[in-house]
Amino acid sequence: VGLKERRIVINIMPIITENLNDEQRREAFYLSKFIASSSVGLFDAALNYLWNETILNLRSKIIRFDINYFYDSTISDPKKRAKFQSEEDLNDLDDWELIRGAKETGIISDIGYRHLDYIRDMRNFASAAHPNQTEITGLLLAGWLETCIREVLAKEPSGPVVEIKRLLYSIRTEHLDATSIAPTI
């Protein structure tokens, strides 16, 4: 990609990445590769790195949430669900299922899901993941970076998601006697 398009991404990147705290920046290994790829004009590779960082981060949030609830909410086929038991099994879930499941469990918002699904689509058809001749502009790439940071990398699950996690933990770990159950009926 030409110098003009590279400048767009490089100039706006510090503003976009301000949404990440120091720890998030340190942990974002693939964002370093995104920056390097963007600076030399390899936008198709940069998109791959951005997507890798987003998916890794999303998997980490799912693991911290409740992996069994996530699998139960995401995988409706009982035969397929039986194959998904551990954290490592998340790697075998297709990206589209991962982001759809994150939406279904409230880890990402509905609008975040729509944006991420589009970026996933572009990653499949306009990045170095597959042969193509698609041109990615600096503004597109910067916009995708902003979306991934706002919707996943810099955002922790909150509200109902945290309450669901707390409820599921309590159900699994606490013994309920007759006096505890009465208020729930």
Side-chain angles (χ1 to χ4, degrees):
V1 176
L3 192 56
K4 179 182 172 189
E5 294 297 322
R6 286 186 261 166
R7 272 194 206 120
I8 291 169
V9 177
I10 297 303
N11 287 338
I12 201 167
M13 198 176 308
I15 296 165
I16 295 170
T17 58
E18 281 178 357
N19 292 316
L20 297 170
N21 64 39
D22 290 340
E23 182 182 346
Q24 290 165 332
R25 284 188 184 123
R26 273 192 306 277
E27 298 294 319
F29 175 71
Y30 282 106
L31 274 191
S32 299
K33 292 182 174 203
F34 170 89
I35 292 167
S37 298
S38 297
S39 68
V40 296
L42 298 174
F43 284 9
D44 55 349
L47 178 53
N48 265 352
Y49 292 131
L50 176 60
W51 188 248
N52 290 346
E53 186 65 47
T54 303
I55 291 300
L56 285 174
N57 189 284
L58 198 51
R59 284 181 186 144
S60 144
K61 285 176 171 60
I62 290 165
I63 290 166
R64 285 181 291 155
F65 174 61
D66 187 289
I67 194 78
N68 287 315
Y69 178 72
F70 176 82
Y71 287 146
D72 290 342
S73 300
T74 305
I75 305 168
S76 57
D77 177 17
K79 287 183 182 178
K80 183 175 181 180
R81 172 61 180 94
K83 296 176 185 176
F84 288 86
Q85 301 298 321
S86 70
E87 296 173 3
E88 292 78 26
D89 296 332
L90 269 177
N91 295 326
D92 297 330
L93 201 62
D94 289 336
D95 290 355
W96 70 268
E97 291 175 296
L98 189 81
I99 60 173
R100 184 179 52 84
K103 177 187 74 108
E104 295 299 321
T105 55
I107 294 171
I108 60 173
S109 67
D110 289 344
I111 195 73
Y113 165 76
R114 291 178 186 274
H115 284 293
L116 290 173
D117 196 44
Y118 173 69
I119 295 168
R120 179 194 60 79
D121 222 17
M122 297 313 307
R123 184 255 177 207
N124 287 336
F125 296 105
S127 77
H130 304 285
N132 72 81
Q133 296 300 317
T134 305
E135 186 175 315
I136 300 172
T137 67
L139 284 176
L140 271 175
L141 192 60
W144 295 335
L145 172 65
E146 180 184 38
T147 297
C148 290
I149 287 175
R150 284 182 175 265
E151 297 297 332
V152 178
L153 303 177
K155 188 176 183 181
E156 289 299 321
S158 62
V161 175
V162 174
E163 294 303 316
I164 290 170
K165 178 181 179 174
R166 197 173 306 150
L167 173 65
L168 291 172
Y169 178 78
S170 294
I171 289 170
R172 289 184 181 129
T173 60
E174 294 180 20
H175 175 71
L176 298 177
D177 58 18
T179 57
S180 302
I181 295 173
T184 63
I185 298 175

